[in-house]
Amino acid sequence: MQKVGFFRSIHVKFVLIYVMLILLAMQIIGIYFASKLELTLKTNFTTSIEDRMNIVEFSIREEMMKERSMDDPTPEQGLRTVLLGFTSTSEDINEIRVINSRYGILASSVLDNQSMVGLRSTDDLVKKSITSELVQESIRLDQKTRNRIWVRAKPIMVGSEVIGTLYLESNIEKVFKQIDEINEILAVGTAVSLSITIIIGIFIAQTMTRPISDMRRQAQAMAKGNFSRKVHVYGNDELGQLAIAFNHLTNQLQESQSTTESERRKLASVLENMTDGVIATDRKGRVSLINDAALVMLKMTRDIVLNRPISSILGLEQEYAFEDLIQIKDSIALDFSTEQQPYILRANFSITQRETGFVNGLIVVLHDNTEQEKIDMERREFVSNVSHELRTPLTTMRSYLEALAEGAWKNEEIAPSFLHVTQTETERMIRLVNDLLKLSRMDSRNYDLNSEWVEFNHFFNSIIDRFEFSKIHEGDFKRLLPSADLFVEIDADKMTQVIDNIISNALKYSPDGGDIRFGVTMSDHFIKVMISDDGMGIPQANVKRIFDRFYRADRARSRAMGGTGLGLAIAREMVIAHGGDIWAESEEGRGTTIFFTLPFELQEDGEWD
């Protein structure tokens, strides 16, 4: 997981927020304190000056209204005496001037400014106080000392008449210096308290963020699958209760993960051992899971299938989109057959969805339906063949019986012939039904083999001799049999029927004068029996079908010879029942060879058994 940056850390954020709040509070307090302090000092300073100026004003008013004799000093001298006496005892006042109502300067408390007496004052503050009859004041910057001074002009009233104004310049700079000194003290105090606050804030933040950091590390460990760690509980406050809840959550997740992992293994085991193929998709129809059985059925590899559209994998992209597959209720047959081999799968579809009904994906179950389709096809073909085989003799019998019923039985020449045909067709149907019953018993395994040890060469020769002595064939019987005795454990009656069927077919399909060849060879733990003819042969594409029920290489000829088309099918079942195998090799126009094997064992003395 990515490391948290320094300034993104909750610890630093908590300290910064804490310090900023403290700093903001101190700034507000400082601004309020400074403004109130400045106002208070200014008010105290001006009030003190005003109180003293009221005394001066009274003295000056009396001096200006005083009636003078020849011996008395002039008004200017009297005013200057009053001003000098007052300013000598006050350090805060720089200068006091007395100005009459015509803006003439009557006196000044500064000796160096006595030359200004008698001149006209040009100060705007003086003019405003006389004209408005109100006190005017302002703070100015002294051009010489560059200090701030407080200037005040108060009109001197006698009744309702303005007789002059009292102009004052006071040194207010020391008030601002006091304010600056106090602000410096406040700033130092703020810095010290802020430093202490930061240190305390770091410790407080650490107590708050340490459990959070522990929970973050625990969450990272849980994300990696490690549920062994536990969050340390530092107290019983909200964070402590959160840590306890987090530890409980860890235990619950560990149990849930164990359960989920167990279920996942079970599901994986089920999917891997299923004979049916299973495919799961996401909500967009892309393959997200597939078991080995499905890969074998589709003849694909996992890396090719994953993340590909399901319709493309199943070869349905032309007929169905993913939205169409979701709506399918019945199964779909997937035909992957080739000219050489049939291959049919059946796909069943079901959707996975949330409780809200939102479709999460699709589950496809594949079943190899090739054998079932083949069985269904064989069953249909079998029913059709049985119907056809029975219909032919029944139709013939009905025709002859109708002719006999219409009076042909009276004709002594044709009646016996009609009855003979009817009898022949009846026997043919009986043979057909008997053969079907034999096959039915073999299919249901409802038969017993009366096995006995038989010397096969003698047994085989006796059957060949029987056909040879019947003289129904003009060709030669050629025997290629070993001289050694071969003892096999067989049911002699059933194996006689197998060999009779094969030899009968060889005789039926061989032309007169054609040779019939017989042979026996030994291979591993089997003897291989061969019966070959020089008949018309079988097309290569149909060689494997000659053991199917009702198959005939030449239907017209077989039916004319009374065959049911079940002889080789019965022979195959009997050979398989003995633990052997049977097959054919043929070349069209050059004859057919039937092979079958029978098991036998080698005795301890080295002889074959």
Side-chain angles (χ1 to χ4, degrees), residues 329-539:
K329 303 298 181 182
D330 299 327
S331 59
I332 294 179
L334 308 175
D335 193 351
F336 297 103
S337 302
T338 61
E339 294 181 358
Q340 294 77 19
Q341 184 178 6
Y343 189 52
I344 299 173
L345 301 179
R346 185 157 294 277
N348 294 280
F349 299 88
S350 62
I351 61 174
T352 58
Q353 56 187 12
R354 299 177 184 172
E355 295 179 356
T356 58
F358 179 79
V359 176
N360 282 336
L362 191 67
I363 301 294
V364 183
V365 179
L366 299 178
H367 178 69
D368 189 348
N369 214 41
T370 305
E371 289 300 322
Q372 185 62 41
E373 290 289 335
K374 186 178 180 180
I375 291 172
D376 292 342
M377 185 183 301
E378 289 177 352
R379 184 183 295 112
R380 291 191 294 268
E381 185 177 354
F382 176 74
V383 172
S384 176
N385 287 332
V386 171
S387 300
H388 180 73
E389 293 295 333
L390 289 176
R391 183 180 60 185
T392 301
L394 287 173
T395 302
T396 303
M397 290 174 61
R398 184 180 65 180
S399 299
Y400 281 94
L401 290 173
E402 286 177 353
L404 291 172
E406 291 175 357
W409 62 274
K410 298 178 180 180
N411 191 330
E412 296 181 357
E413 295 181 358
I414 63 174
S417 176
F418 282 9
L419 290 173
H420 177 71
V421 171
T422 303
Q423 184 180 8
T424 302
E425 294 298 331
T426 302
E427 291 174 353
R428 180 181 169 192
M429 285 191 294
I430 291 172
R431 288 196 304 271
L432 176 62
V433 172
N434 288 334
D435 288 345
L436 288 174
L437 289 174
K438 289 179 184 178
L439 285 172
S440 177
R441 285 194 296 270
M442 290 179 181
D443 287 341
S444 63
R445 298 294 187 266
N446 187 21
Y447 62 89
D448 295 323
L449 293 178
N450 297 318
S451 300
E452 58 180 331
W453 288 100
V454 175
E455 200 288 307
F456 190 78
N457 285 333
H458 176 73
F459 171 75
F460 196 18
N461 274 316
S462 63
I463 298 174
I464 299 171
D465 289 342
R466 176 161 45 84
F467 278 94
E468 189 174 19
F469 292 155
S470 65
K471 297 182 180 180
I472 60 174
H473 186 70
E474 299 296 333
D476 294 332
F477 283 13
K478 296 182 178 181
R479 311 183 194 200
L480 303 173
L481 306 180
S483 59
D485 293 337
L486 302 175
F487 287 90
V488 293
E489 189 177 12
I490 60 174
D491 186 325
D493 291 338
K494 289 183 171 57
M495 191 53 58
T496 299
Q497 186 177 356
V498 170
I499 298 174
D500 282 352
N501 282 331
I502 298 173
I503 296 176
S504 297
N505 283 332
L507 293 174
K508 288 178 186 178
Y509 294 104
S510 291
D512 288 339
D515 294 336
I516 306 296
R517 291 169 294 278
F518 306 92
V520 177
T521 58
M522 292 176 291
S523 175
D524 294 333
H525 295 285
F526 291 90
I527 62 169
K528 183 168 70 172
V529 182
M530 175 204 72
I531 301 173
S532 179
D533 62 58
D534 292 331
M536 61 183 179
I538 305 169

Side-chain angles (χ1 to χ4, degrees), residues 240-403:
Q241 294 176 0
L242 178 61
I244 295 172
F246 203 88
N247 289 333
H248 180 67
L249 175 63
T250 301
N251 295 331
Q252 293 295 322
L253 285 176
Q254 186 174 11
E255 293 178 2
S256 299
Q257 189 198 35
S258 299
T259 303
T260 302
E261 183 63 22
S262 175
E263 294 299 325
R264 187 193 66 79
R265 287 195 296 267
K266 291 180 182 178
L267 177 61
S269 178
V270 170
L271 289 177
E272 290 304 320
N273 291 283
M274 284 182 65
T275 57
D276 291 342
V278 178
I279 305 174
T281 72
D282 58 15
R283 61 185 181 87
K284 294 184 179 180
R286 293 180 298 229
V287 176
S288 58
L289 182 146
I290 185 169
N291 66 348
D292 292 340
L295 292 174
V296 172
M297 290 181 183
L298 295 174
K299 299 177 181 178
M300 296 181 178
T301 57
R302 197 178 303 274
D303 56 339
I304 295 177
V305 173
L306 291 178
N307 295 321
R308 282 186 60 191
I310 184 65
S311 56
S312 174
I313 296 299
L314 300 180
L316 300 174
E317 64 271 13
Q318 300 296 332
E319 296 86 358
Y320 300 94
F322 178 67
E323 293 75 12
D324 301 326
L325 295 178
I326 294 176
Q327 306 299 326
I328 292 177
K329 303 298 181 182
D330 299 327
S331 59
I332 294 179
L334 308 175
D335 193 351
F336 297 103
S337 302
T338 61
E339 294 181 358
Q340 294 77 19
Q341 184 178 6
Y343 189 52
I344 299 173
L345 301 179
R346 185 157 294 277
N348 294 280
F349 299 88
S350 62
I351 61 174
T352 58
Q353 56 187 12
R354 299 177 184 172
E355 295 179 356
T356 58
F358 179 79
V359 176
N360 282 336
L362 191 67
I363 301 294
V364 183
V365 179
L366 299 178
H367 178 69
D368 189 348
N369 214 41
T370 305
E371 289 300 322
Q372 185 62 41
E373 290 289 335
K374 186 178 180 180
I375 291 172
D376 292 342
M377 185 183 301
E378 289 177 352
R379 184 183 295 112
R380 291 191 294 268
E381 185 177 354
F382 176 74
V383 172
S384 176
N385 287 332
V386 171
S387 300
H388 180 73
E389 293 295 333
L390 289 176
R391 183 180 60 185
T392 301
L394 287 173
T395 302
T396 303
M397 290 174 61
R398 184 180 65 180
S399 299
Y400 281 94
L401 290 173
E402 286 177 353

